[in-house]
Amino acid sequence: MASVVEYKGLKAGYYCGYCQSREGKASCGLWAHSMTVQDYQDLIDRGWRRSGKYVYKPIMNQTCCPQYTIRCRPLQFQPSKSHKKVLKKMLKFLAKGEISKGSCEDEPMDSTMEDAVAGDFALMNKLDIKCDLKTLSSDLKGSIESEEKKEKSIKKEGSKELIHPQAIEEKLGSGEPSHSIKVHIGPKPGKGADLSKPPCRKAKEMRKERKRLKLMQQNSAGAFEGFQAQGQPVSLLPKAKTNQPKSLEDLIFESLPENSSHKLEFTRFLCNSPLEAEHPPNGPECGYGSFHQQYWLDGKIIAVGVIDILPYCVSSVYLYYDPDYSFLSLGVYSALREIAFTRQLHEKTSQLSYYYMGFYIHSCPKMRYKGQYRPSDLLCPETYVWVPIEQCLPSLDNSKYCRFNQDPQAEDEGRCKDLDRVRVFYRRSAMPFGVFKNQHNDPSEEPAVLEYANLVGQKCSERMLLFRN
């Protein structure tokens, strides 16, 4: 089994959804008629990413908003405070039916699209899905709506109904499930402060008070330990309070009471993609390939995430969700579940230990939130080595395009070194490019094949079959 691809070349001067430049984007692309999971793993490790069967690579030193491949290290991952808020919000909703009020501070709203190229409507990256159509430009909004009209709002798969990706809208401000945006005009006139009640305390003062009480408790516990050393009975000592932070799994898989208000279930099944499904004996139980992950709430499907399970990682693709449940921050919640899922796969398949989140765009402030999933690494756009994001940020603050590898002598070790060994597919036959070149004697073929081979790397160019007319 070999990947069969058709190189589409450079596409430059088209619309960017990150900075709204009408002709600032530049990328190279190829159409994947079929692709092995190992080839796609090697491609994303060279800055490529798929949207359906179209696989593209931003030209980093030319495009208006450089997109750096980012991966999280799930084995060392610790959820941040905002991540824990999302998980606790979901638990409260499931257990008691509570809907959190007030503004959602999990992550900023995004107004962005992945590359729409070669006539293929690009789907939103699952971590970029939280988007308000009202904040997009009219041109971009029109293109989204026109594409959505072409699709049916509901697709049948067996006896289950899948939600169409029409849920690209999320309310700003409060967490109430709604399609509209309420504008807060101003406070209503009141009667002033109630002098019969104590004055409101500032949050800073309350934190100081809690810290002072905690120190007093610690000091008293130390005094009791001193008494114990002098023969004081242990039963008189205060019980030690464990204050271990909950792990990601503790927060996600916390048991719910029997009378919970809601029930959330998950199903997973293979979905159509250019990736060929594989089930090696030493691989994960579900195998490698592209999967739909369905989120069912009380028997109703509310979200569908698409992931690629590859030899070394779980790669996030996109998420469809019902906008009525945007108050649950499903984009963040599904990402945290997928990080936990990567950990589970690692237990069976030790080399599978990364979670790829798509692209990190530092030049777009709203797109920096992916860097909050720590620890994480960015891919050097010149040498294709992984560098911890903390080392990359100072350089990105000074320039939107950066080489992260600090060794000035380092080169791209995977670049094309022997063009004649590139495999091509011509008239139903696979052959090295050297043989094809000698048969056709067409000098115009070589520049395009060389460009392709340098972008995909020598390893992939020798395994994949490049379609030639």
Side-chain angles (χ1 to χ4, degrees):
M1 181 174 61
S3 303
V4 180
V5 300
E6 191 172 350
Y7 184 56
K8 297 294 184 180
L10 174 67
K11 179 180 176 66
Y14 61 103
Y15 179 81
C16 173
Y18 301 110
C19 67
Q20 281 72 55
S21 168
R22 291 197 170 273
E23 46 189 34
K25 278 204 139 179
S27 67
C28 288
L30 56 85
W31 188 263
H33 295 278
S34 66
M35 184 167 286
T36 67
V37 291
Q38 184 61 61
D39 285 341
Y40 186 53
Q41 175 73 71
D42 290 344
L43 286 178
I44 62 175
D45 284 337
R46 290 184 65 83
W48 292 80
R49 183 159 182 81
R50 79 175 183 91
S51 176
K53 290 191 174 185
Y54 189 81
V55 190
Y56 62 98
K57 173 179 167 55
I59 305 303
M60 302 290 278
N61 58 356
Q62 296 180 29
T63 193
C64 53
C65 296
Q67 299 160 263
Y68 298 92
T69 301
I70 182 170
R71 73 178 186 185
C72 173
R73 285 174 261 153
L75 305 186
Q76 296 84 35
F77 174 78
Q78 291 294 333
S80 66
K81 286 185 178 180
S82 63
H83 295 152
K84 290 178 181 178
K85 281 183 181 179
V86 172
L87 297 175
K88 290 176 181 178
K89 178 169 58 177
M90 177 65 81
L91 288 173
K92 285 183 179 179
F93 174 72
L94 295 177
K96 303 177 182 179
E98 293 183 6
I99 298 177
S100 300
K101 302 293 182 181
S103 61
C104 179
E105 300 176 355
D106 314 323
E107 286 172 357
M109 294 289 178
D110 303 328
S111 303
T112 179
M113 293 291 294
E114 297 288 4
D115 295 51
V117 282
D120 182 40
F121 178 59
L123 294 163
M124 285 196 171
N125 177 276
K126 70 171 297 306
L127 291 174
D128 301 341
I129 198 78
K130 296 195 303 177
C131 172
D132 169 31
L133 286 176
K134 297 179 179 62
T135 65
L136 299 180
S137 69
S138 58
D139 291 345
L140 181 57
K141 179 179 178 180
S143 66
I144 294 173
E145 292 175 343
S146 64
E147 287 294 335
E148 289 180 346
K149 287 177 183 177
K150 295 177 185 177
E151 301 285 344
K152 294 179 180 179
S153 60
I154 296 179
K155 296 181 180 179
K156 295 283 186 178
E157 182 150 350
S159 62
K160 297 177 181 178
E161 292 186 348
L162 297 181
I163 296 175
H164 176 268
Q166 60 189 5
I168 319 175
E169 185 170 359
E170 180 161 316
K171 182 184 173 191
L172 295 168
S174 79
E176 299 172 3
S178 171
H179 297 273
S180 61
I181 295 180
K182 295 180 181 178
V183 180
H184 182 65
I185 300 173
K188 294 181 179 180
K191 299 180 180 179
D194 187 346
L195 299 179
S196 65
K197 296 181 180 179
C200 294
R201 300 175 64 190
K202 292 184 177 179
K204 187 176 181 181
E205 294 177 356
M206 295 173 70
R207 286 197 298 270
K208 286 182 178 180
E209 180 68 16
R210 286 196 296 268
K211 186 175 181 180
R212 187 177 67 82
L213 291 173
K214 188 175 180 180
L215 288 173
M216 290 175 62
Q217 291 172 355
Q218 289 174 350
N219 291 336
S220 62
F224 272 107
E225 288 176 4
F227 292 146
Q228 184 185 21
Q230 297 175 16
Q232 188 74 6
V234 178
S235 59
L236 298 180
L237 298 176
K239 293 183 179 179
K241 185 179 180 181
T242 58
N243 195 24
Q244 293 294 328
K246 287 187 176 182
S247 68
L248 178 63
E249 287 78 6
D250 291 337
L251 291 165
I252 289 179
F253 303 115
E254 183 172 320
S255 58
L256 295 169
E258 292 183 1
N259 60 344
S260 295
S261 298
H262 301 286
K263 183 179 182 181
L264 187 65
E265 299 174 288
F266 300 88
T267 60
R268 182 179 302 110
F269 58 91
L270 281 166
C271 62
N272 291 329
S273 93
L275 301 185
E276 300 290 341
E278 298 180 26
H279 291 83
N282 59 342
E285 188 174 335
C286 59
Y288 298 115
S290 298
F291 294 83
H292 274 149
Q293 294 206 118
Q294 296 182 347
Y295 294 70
W296 291 82
L297 182 68
D298 302 331
K300 174 187 177 183
I301 190 168
I302 63 170
V304 179
V306 175
I307 58 171
D308 293 331
I309 301 180
L310 304 175
Y312 307 123
C313 73
V314 170
S315 176
S316 155
V317 184
Y318 53 81
L319 177 81
Y320 303 153
Y321 72 89
D322 187 333
D324 286 344
Y325 297 91
S326 59
F327 65 93
L328 291 173
S329 304
L330 291 172
V332 182
Y333 181 77
S334 60
L336 295 172
R337 283 203 71 106
E338 289 170 8
I339 289 174
F341 178 52
T342 306
R343 289 179 173 179
Q344 292 176 336
L345 294 178
H346 172 77
E347 293 177 3
K348 173 69 165 50
T349 311
S350 59
Q351 72 269 21
L352 202 162
S353 54
Y354 296 102
Y355 177 64
Y356 284 49
M357 298 180 284
F359 290 129
Y360 173 81
I361 303 121
H362 192 78
S363 57
C364 179
K366 290 184 179 181
M367 290 302 299
R368 295 181 184 179
Y369 66 87
K370 291 183 186 180
Q372 297 172 8
Y373 292 79
R374 302 285 181 93
S376 57
D377 309 300
L378 297 183
L379 187 67
C380 176
E382 295 182 8
T383 61
Y384 303 109
V385 297
W386 293 99
V387 180
I389 192 171
E390 295 85 355
Q391 298 179 23
C392 305
L393 295 180
S395 300
L396 288 172
D397 286 336
N398 294 324
S399 174
K400 62 182 181 180
Y401 172 74
C402 298
R403 169 194 168 106
F404 300 137
N405 194 326
Q406 298 300 310
D407 181 2
Q409 305 300 320
E411 297 179 346
D412 172 16
E413 296 295 334
R415 69 188 183 282
C416 177
K417 301 179 179 71
D418 189 347
L419 188 61
D420 286 347
R421 296 182 62 179
V422 174
R423 295 183 73 197
V424 300
F425 188 69
Y426 178 68
R427 290 185 176 178
R428 299 183 181 180
S429 297
M431 63 187 74
F433 179 68
V435 174
F436 174 84
K437 181 174 61 175
N438 292 334
Q439 289 180 359
H440 294 271
N441 195 24
D442 184 357
S444 65
E445 286 281 338
E446 191 161 324
V449 175
L450 178 61
E451 182 179 81
Y452 154 83
N454 277 324
L455 290 171
V456 304
Q458 185 73 33
K459 286 192 302 184
C460 276
S461 70
E462 290 184 20
R463 291 196 307 254
M464 299 194 302
L465 295 177
L466 175 64
F467 180 81
R468 308 310 292 162
N469 288 324

